[in-house]
């Protein structure tokens, strides 16, 4: 696309944003900003959700240079003026379905969209990890980023290594449990089919444990005893700032198991995803020799 033709991008609500030239000052929800950074787009600012505080949650920021990227805040502290303080010419947000902008009050999102183009990408469970990644990559290319074959090769190598580790452990595959500690006595245990990143693991052959049926679409809420009765041999533990510490949940009685730091709001760039797959492979190998 040439500058003369202008910039256009249709988001996952079916709404088209347009500008005379590709935007250069991108403000993004933290997950989107960190993903775009991995894809070669430097955001000028990021914002959080109601789960976040006055400082950016480093579990979500990937390799973003936080000393160079402004943090506008999160939750009720956000209004349109605060979001526009960095002078963005594009806002990138995410949605978990229905086109609703995650992390912003509807009125704030409406006022923002009256002032600056807003692109909303769907990161809901209705999509595969690859589909979401492709949408971020398409947006990055529209903003002038170039494809990086080296990053894709890293990702392919990480997939191949994880498949090889899974094959080597197939006779006695370690049981992998993804959870978010709620307190020393309770955990939210992820239902693997509801999380695009966990579905990638199961597709690669990883034995991700399914919690019991019951209330909760994405998570099963279990007490400590029921959580560890699932006999995890590898734990994917939510490391976002609002999650409780895993060690408090495990206590001194639980058997030690390899732990993979897990961000349930994953980054969709190839290098970030490759790093996560590599950590899972490391943990499976550690579980095999323990």
């Amino acid at each position: 696309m040439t500058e003369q033709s202008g910039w256009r991008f249709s988001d996952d609500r079916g709404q088209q944003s347009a500008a005379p030239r590709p935007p250069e000052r991108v403000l993004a929800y933290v997950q989107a900003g960190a993903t775009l950074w991995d894809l070669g787009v430097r955001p000028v600012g990021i914002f959080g959700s109601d789960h976040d505080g006055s400082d950016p949650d480093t579990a979500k920021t990937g390799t973003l240079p936080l000393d160079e990227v402004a943090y506008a805040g999160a939750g009720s502290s956000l209004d349109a003026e605060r979001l526009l303080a960095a002078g963005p010419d594009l806002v990138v947000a995410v949605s978990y379905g229905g086109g609703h902008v995650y992390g912003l009050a509807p009125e704030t999102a409406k006022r923002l969209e009256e002032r600056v183009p807003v692109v909303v990408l769907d990161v809901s469970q209705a999509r595969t990890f690859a589909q979401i990644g492709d949408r971020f990559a398409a947006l990055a290319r529209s903003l002038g980023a170039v494809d990086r074959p080296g990053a894709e090769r890293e990702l392919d190598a990480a997939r191949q290594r994880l498949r090889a580790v899974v094959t080597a452990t197939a006779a006695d595959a370690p049981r992998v449990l993804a959870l978010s500690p709620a307190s020393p006595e309770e955990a939210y245990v992820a239902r693997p089919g509801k999380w695009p990143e966990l579905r990638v693991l199961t597709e690669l052959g990883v034995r991700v444990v399914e919690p019991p049926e019951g209330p909760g679409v994405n998570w099963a809420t279990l007490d400590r005893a029921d959580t560890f009765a699932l006999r995890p041999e590898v734990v994917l533990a939510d490391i976002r700032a609002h999650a409780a510490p895993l060690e408090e949940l495990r206590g001194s009685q639980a058997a030690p198991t390899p732990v993979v730091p897990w961000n349930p709001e994953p980054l969709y760039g190839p290098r970030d995803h490759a790093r996560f797959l590599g950590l899972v492979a490391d943990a499976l190998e550690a579980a095999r020799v323990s």
Side-chain angles (χ1 to χ4, degrees):
M1 179 186 65
T2 64
E3 270 195 16
Q4 288 75 19
S5 66
W7 172 82
R8 290 177 177 80
F9 189 86
S10 292
D11 72 7
D12 292 341
R13 302 170 297 175
Q15 296 187 19
Q16 187 177 85
S17 294
R21 60 188 60 84
E24 297 179 347
R25 298 184 59 80
V26 177
L27 170 71
Y29 176 63
V30 57
Q31 178 189 36
T35 295
L36 289 171
W37 170 255
D38 192 30
L39 292 166
V41 175
R42 177 186 289 269
V44 297
I46 54 174
F47 62 91
S49 72
D50 288 330
H51 288 307
D52 299 317
S54 56
D55 295 313
D57 184 347
T58 55
K60 301 180 182 182
T61 54
T63 57
L64 269 175
L66 296 178
D67 56 340
E68 301 173 22
V69 178
Y71 180 61
S76 60
S77 70
L78 290 176
D79 58 31
E81 295 307 318
R82 184 165 181 171
L83 289 161
L84 292 167
D89 53 9
L90 175 67
V91 174
V92 180
V94 303
S95 172
Y96 283 90
H100 304 296
V101 176
Y102 181 67
L104 298 180
E107 186 61 26
T108 300
K110 179 176 180 293
R111 290 182 180 277
L112 196 61
E113 201 148 12
E114 291 169 350
R115 304 271 295 276
V116 64
V118 176
V119 164
V120 180
L121 298 183
D122 188 339
V123 298
S124 71
Q125 65 190 39
R127 292 192 160 182
T128 67
F129 192 94
Q131 287 170 336
I132 298 168
D134 287 346
R135 290 295 287 151
F136 273 107
L139 175 60
R141 286 193 297 270
S142 82
L143 297 173
V146 297
D147 291 332
R148 295 183 291 173
E152 292 298 332
R153 285 194 294 270
E154 274 185 45
L155 180 53
D156 287 341
R159 288 176 178 143
Q160 291 171 15
R161 181 185 168 223
L162 183 53
R163 285 194 189 98
V165 171
V166 167
T167 299
T169 61
D172 189 20
R175 295 168 59 84
V176 177
L177 189 68
L179 58 80
S180 180
S183 72
E185 301 300 331
E186 193 171 65
Y188 305 121
V189 178
R191 301 191 185 281
K194 302 299 184 181
W195 301 86
E197 191 172 41
L198 299 184
R199 294 204 300 266
V200 170
L201 296 184
T202 58
E203 289 160 7
L204 291 171
V206 178
R207 187 183 181 188
V208 186
V209 177
E210 181 76 48
E213 292 184 5
V217 175
N218 301 323
W219 307 96
T221 303
L222 304 180
D223 63 25
R224 185 207 310 227
D226 287 342
T227 297
F228 291 103
L230 295 172
R231 297 180 291 111
E233 294 163 282
V234 172
V235 173
L236 307 185
D238 185 354
I239 55 167
R240 292 174 297 175
H242 67 276
L246 176 63
E247 291 312 310
E248 290 184 4
L249 174 70
R250 291 207 295 189
S252 59
Q253 304 303 314
T257 54
V259 176
V260 176
W262 177 48
N263 170 20
E265 299 180 51
L267 310 185
Y268 292 92
R271 287 205 164 102
D272 285 313
H273 190 39
R275 276 189 286 272
F276 174 71
L277 297 182
L279 291 173
V280 174
D282 291 342
L284 293 178
E285 289 185 325
R288 181 177 58 177
V289 301
S290 62

